[in-house]
Amino acid sequence: VMLLVPALPVPEFWITQLNYIGLYSIVSLGLVLLTGVAGLTSFGQAAFVGVGAYTSAYLSTALGISPWLALFVGLGLAVVVALLLGALTLRMSGHYLPLATICWGLALNYTMANMEFLGKYDGLLGVPALSIGSLSLASGRAMYVLIWIVALGAAIAVTNLLDSRTGRAIRSLKNGTTMAEAMGISTFQYKLLAFVLAAMLAAVSGWLFAHF
């Protein structure tokens, strides 16, 4: 239903707001998987949005690399960062884990905001719009369709994941680790998997945001 909205005579303001809702929905899907299903609290997901956005913006402006190629570079970087941070913090429990995510979330934010080649607090200017062949996605209505296709695809992917054997293992994490480990589930491995997948969804949203 959301995909039909651009065809209606609605104000551009509506389109812009719905674009932002779509972008935030993609990040929220990662939090549903990480916090709602796996029971892991993270206050640092916005940092992964920044990783995806800054990577694509820098590569497409400074190096002239296609934004579509920059997407995969941003995803790869988000995975590496998530693996590193997850290995350091996901063994924590109780209130220590949320505090740790606040710490590295703020650290990444201030790190990116103080890098000269990323424009510091002013950010990067002249980020190119996405295009598919000769079709430009520079307008809000064109970008709207891509954002909501990605949101819909992400929702279907997360649903299918949670209905799989891996998804059942992730679901078991919320009720503690003892029972899951007694059934042969490597709880840390599945915690790390949920963390990385949530980071990837956030990075995709950041990539779309940078070129919106």
Side-chain angles (χ1 to χ4, degrees), residues 25-26 29-30 148-162 201:
S25 297
I26 298 169
L29 276 170
W148 281 96
I149 285 175
V150 172
L152 177 62
I156 294 171
V158 170
T159 301
N160 287 336
L161 170 67
L162 293 178
L201 285 170

Side-chain angles (χ1 to χ4, degrees), residues 59-100:
L59 292 177
S60 58
T61 55
L63 303 180
I65 293 176
S66 167
W68 297 98
L69 180 58
L71 166 63
F72 295 100
V73 178
L75 281 173
L77 186 57
V79 168
V80 170
V81 174
L83 286 172
L84 177 61
L85 293 175
L88 293 173
T89 59
L90 288 180
R91 297 185 189 278
M92 299 178 182
S93 59
H95 59 274
Y96 294 105
L97 177 59
L99 288 173

